[in-house]
């Protein structure tokens, strides 16, 4: 009351800036404790992810990439069911991939991933990085087709390693084989 001055009030009407509100909401979500974010995100994750997946791990992928909780279901729907996607998804200029390159990458990635005994994120990461080095390609050239085949989406809340780890070995390999079949 002591510092309020009516002269400081603008005569123009107030505006409701949805972009600014979204920005503040995203900032709030990103600064939450991971456990608290996982708790508030779980109902939204469970709208489309019905399978036996680690909700906290999925939430961990989402937290840095989420502006609104209502965006979550469409971001994670690929976990339960691989969406139908076209061969054109395997083409990415930045990663230097096209259907032919992607086919070669998946043909190399499937046996390499089959050889993993203990399916951990580190094991998947190390295997794919070593494979890219062995093939003489940049990591992105290998990771792009693996991620597309595993998720069936151009935009995902995590990279190839995180998605493969969360899907599990059997489901990852099944999806990579389906992606290879599309390319054949």
């Amino acid at each position: 009351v002591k510092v309020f001055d009516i002269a400081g009030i603008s005569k123009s009407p107030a505006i409701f800036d949805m972009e600014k509100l979204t920005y503040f909401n995203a900032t709030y979500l990103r600064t939450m404790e991971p456990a608290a974010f996982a708790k508030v995100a779980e109902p939204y994750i469970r709208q489309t992810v019905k399978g036996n997946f680690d909700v906290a791990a999925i939430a961990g992928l989402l937290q840095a990439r989420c502006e609104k909780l209502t965006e979550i279901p469409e971001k994670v729907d690929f976990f339960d069911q691989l969406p139908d996607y076209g061969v054109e998804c395997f083409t990415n200029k930045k990663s230097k991939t096209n259907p032919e390159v992607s086919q070669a990458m998946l043909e190399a990635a499937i046996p390499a991933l089959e050889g993993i005994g203990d399916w951990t994120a580190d094991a998947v990461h190390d295997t794919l990085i070593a494979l890219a080095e062995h093939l003489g390609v940049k990591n992105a050239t290998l990771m792009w087709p693996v991620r597309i085949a595993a998720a069936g989406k151009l935009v995902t809340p995590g990279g190839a390693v995180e998605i493969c780890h969360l899907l599990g070995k059997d489901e990852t390999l099944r999806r990579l084989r389906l992606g290879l079949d599309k390319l054949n």
Side-chain angles (χ1 to χ4, degrees):
V1 171
K2 290 178 185 174
V3 297
F4 178 77
D5 181 11
I6 199 145
I9 296 178
S10 172
K11 292 179 181 164
S12 63
I15 61 167
F16 188 80
D17 188 346
M18 200 61 184
E19 277 186 42
K20 189 177 266 188
L21 183 62
T22 300
Y23 167 79
F24 282 124
N25 195 63
T27 302
Y28 172 74
L29 291 175
R30 290 177 186 139
T31 59
M32 290 177 79
E33 288 294 320
F37 178 80
K39 187 174 182 177
V40 298
E42 183 172 8
Y44 296 93
I45 293 170
R46 287 293 176 204
Q47 284 180 24
T48 53
V49 179
K50 310 288 187 214
N52 189 20
F53 292 100
D54 184 352
V55 173
I58 294 173
L61 293 178
L62 287 165
Q63 189 169 6
R65 298 167 176 92
C66 186
E67 292 184 330
K68 298 181 275 187
L69 293 172
T70 53
E71 297 171 344
I72 291 175
E74 77 175 81
K75 287 180 183 266
V76 297
D77 60 356
F78 67 89
F79 279 105
D80 265 359
Q81 184 173 351
L82 183 65
D84 189 29
Y85 63 96
V87 175
E88 68 279 355
C89 292
F90 286 103
T91 301
N92 183 284
K93 190 175 182 180
K94 187 177 176 189
S95 298
K96 296 183 176 130
T97 61
N98 58 37
E100 295 77 31
V101 170
S102 295
Q103 181 178 352
M105 295 299 112
L106 289 178
E107 285 171 349
I110 291 170
L113 292 172
E114 283 175 337
I116 297 175
D118 188 19
W119 193 262
T120 63
D122 287 339
V124 174
H125 174 269
D126 295 346
T127 300
L128 291 175
I129 296 298
L131 178 60
E133 188 177 321
H134 173 75
L135 295 172
V137 297
K138 294 190 181 230
N139 293 342
T141 306
L142 175 63
M143 298 295 188
W144 181 268
V146 170
R147 186 178 63 80
I148 293 298
K153 296 178 96 168
L154 292 172
V155 179
T156 56
V161 171
E162 296 89 355
I163 290 169
C164 290
H165 175 246
L166 286 170
L167 286 173
K169 184 175 183 176
D170 294 339
E171 182 62 13
T172 295
L173 292 171
R174 183 186 77 79
R175 290 182 181 200
L176 294 186
R177 289 185 189 106
L178 288 172
L180 186 58
D181 289 345
K182 279 184 186 278
L183 291 166
N184 289 332

